[in-house]
Amino acid sequence: MTDLLSFFATPIGASIAIIIGFVLLVYGADWLVDGASAIAKQLGVSDLVIGLTVVAFGTSMPEFIVSTIAATQHNTEIAITNILGSNAINVFVILGLTALIFPISSEKSARQFDIPWSLLAGMLVLFFATYTRPVCLGWGNFGAFSFQRGFISGIGGTVLLLCFLVFMWHSLHVARRNTDEQTKNSKLTSMPKAILLIVVGLACLVLGGEAIVRSATSIATMLGVSDAIIGLTIVALGTSLPELATSCIAAYKHNSDLALGNVIGSNIFNVFFILGTSAVIHPLSIYPGLWLDAAMVTISSLLVMAFVYSTNKHEIKRWHGALLLLVYAGYLTYRIINI
């Protein structure tokens, strides 16, 4: 047992542990979504509501597990860069690749609410990273009104969570106006099997997230690479695998609305819910380069908004996808060179 632990403490062993963690995250998220969707259908909840809530949350579960575990372990760089890195990859890489497969169309509700809401998410992170100031009100993790320069703390996290509640209220309001009867005619999974899927899925997510955070931190320490770079690249890409698979398959099947909704919805969940929860668990300290990372997340939303409003069909074209990939390549190269 000691020899095995020693092996996983080496760069090769830690890399293998990260791969195992990614596999657990992907399968865990898939089983969790299947189980939760089955229970929702058993209770008569529409597929639309399931998509706006259960599926969107399920594909963001890897980010949630990794960031919350990192926050509890006071590894705030991994907690933040996992979210910002995932959001950047979601738009620049996943939407970029998806658009190359098939142009991505956008629904009116996405253009009027979801995309602007994802833009707000990036702008709020920029605000917390740049313009926050202390107010002398001591109260534990919520001390100094939590708007301390250099920290995203309790109140800052609470603001993000309140924004998440507004988003969920709007999504459910839209869902109620478009309720369908598909769940009545769908094949239902038995309740015991659905519960088993949820339990096993959650266990895989927790184990996978723990393996990734510990191994990524170990590799960063051994190689002298900052946690921020590890979080922006390896961890962020790994936790974005569910969104990558979902969007590419949706584009291949010409279901491009699902591809866009999956990415935008995941980005909103990531910042408002996951980053907000992480900040409430433990204050998230600002690291060098956060402003640029948050700015890129904001720019990604601006580019998506420009793409969908500049074309007659309100879609992200193939050349838009190529541009997104080129922008991300330039950004990542700059970040790695300027570690």
Side-chain angles (χ1 to χ4, degrees):
M1 185 66 179
T2 302
D3 292 339
L4 183 61
L5 292 176
S6 299
F7 172 72
F8 282 115
T10 65
I12 295 177
S15 300
I16 293 174
I18 287 179
I19 294 172
I20 294 173
F22 286 157
V23 172
L24 289 172
L25 285 180
V26 173
Y27 279 99
D30 184 50
W31 291 332
L32 175 64
V33 169
D34 287 347
S37 297
I39 289 179
K41 289 182 178 181
Q42 288 276 10
L43 299 176
V45 180
S46 72
D47 286 337
L48 182 56
V49 173
I50 293 171
L52 288 169
T53 55
V54 177
V55 175
F57 180 74
T59 56
S60 292
M61 278 302 291
E63 289 91 340
F64 176 73
I65 295 296
V66 169
S67 288
T68 52
I69 289 176
T72 58
Q73 296 178 356
H74 298 182
N75 192 335
T76 57
E77 283 195 16
I78 292 290
I80 300 178
T81 54
N82 172 46
I83 296 303
L84 297 182
S86 293
N87 280 19
I89 289 174
N90 282 349
V91 174
F92 289 116
V93 177
I94 296 177
L95 275 189
L97 289 174
T98 304
L100 287 178
I101 297 172
F102 190 79
I104 302 172
S105 60
S106 62
E107 294 184 355
K108 184 177 180 180
S109 60
R111 296 192 300 273
Q112 293 184 341
F113 184 81
D114 298 336
I115 297 175
W117 212 243
S118 69
L119 174 62
L120 174 64
M123 293 176 66
L124 280 176
V125 177
L126 275 175
F127 169 77
F128 291 137
T130 309
Y131 296 108
T132 52
R133 293 292 187 276
V135 177
C136 296
L137 295 173
W139 185 26
N141 183 34
F142 291 81
F145 207 63
S146 210
F147 289 143
Q148 305 171 32
R149 186 172 182 80
F151 288 90
I152 302 175
S153 188
I155 295 298
T158 302
V159 170
L160 295 177
L161 288 173
L162 288 174
C163 290
F164 172 73
L165 291 177
V166 173
F167 169 75
M168 286 303 300
W169 173 86
H170 177 270
S171 297
L172 293 174
H173 178 69
V174 171
R176 281 195 296 268
R177 292 187 306 182
N178 298 278
T179 304
D180 54 54
E181 300 296 324
Q182 294 177 3
T183 57
K184 294 182 180 180
N185 301 318
S186 59
K187 184 178 180 180
L188 298 179
T189 301
S190 66
M191 187 66 75
K193 182 178 179 180
I195 294 174
L196 179 62
L197 285 171
I198 290 176
V199 172
V200 174
L202 283 173
C204 289
L205 286 169
V206 172
L207 292 173
E210 183 76 14
I212 289 174
V213 171
R214 288 186 179 275
S215 301
T217 303
S218 176
I219 289 176
T221 301
M222 288 185 285
L223 300 181
V225 179
S226 69
D227 287 342
I229 296 299
I230 295 294
L232 283 170
T233 55
I234 298 174
V235 177
L237 179 61
T239 55
S240 294
L241 288 177
E243 288 89 348
L244 177 61
T246 301
S247 294
C248 288
I249 291 173
Y252 179 75
K253 295 180 178 180
H254 295 184
N255 191 350
S256 55
D257 285 338
L258 175 61
L260 180 62
N262 173 48
V263 166
I264 297 301
S266 177
N267 280 9
I268 292 172
F269 266 80
N270 286 349
V271 171
F272 290 139
F273 181 71
I274 301 174
L275 194 62
T277 301
S278 300
V280 169
I281 291 174
H282 187 271
L284 304 178
S285 57
I286 305 305
Y287 61 88
L290 172 62
W291 193 91
L292 174 60
D293 298 336
M296 288 304 297
V297 171
T298 305
I299 290 171
S300 69
S301 296
L302 285 172
L303 285 174
V304 172
M305 188 177 295
F307 293 156
V308 298
Y309 275 109
S310 63
T311 60
N312 294 331
K313 295 183 178 180
H314 302 295
E315 63 182 12
I316 302 175
K317 298 181 177 295
R318 285 189 171 90
W319 75 266
H320 292 154
L323 178 60
L324 289 173
L325 290 169
L326 287 173
V327 171
Y328 182 77
Y331 154 70
L332 187 60
T333 301
Y334 176 83
R335 285 290 278 126
I336 293 175
I337 291 175
N338 293 274
I339 295 177

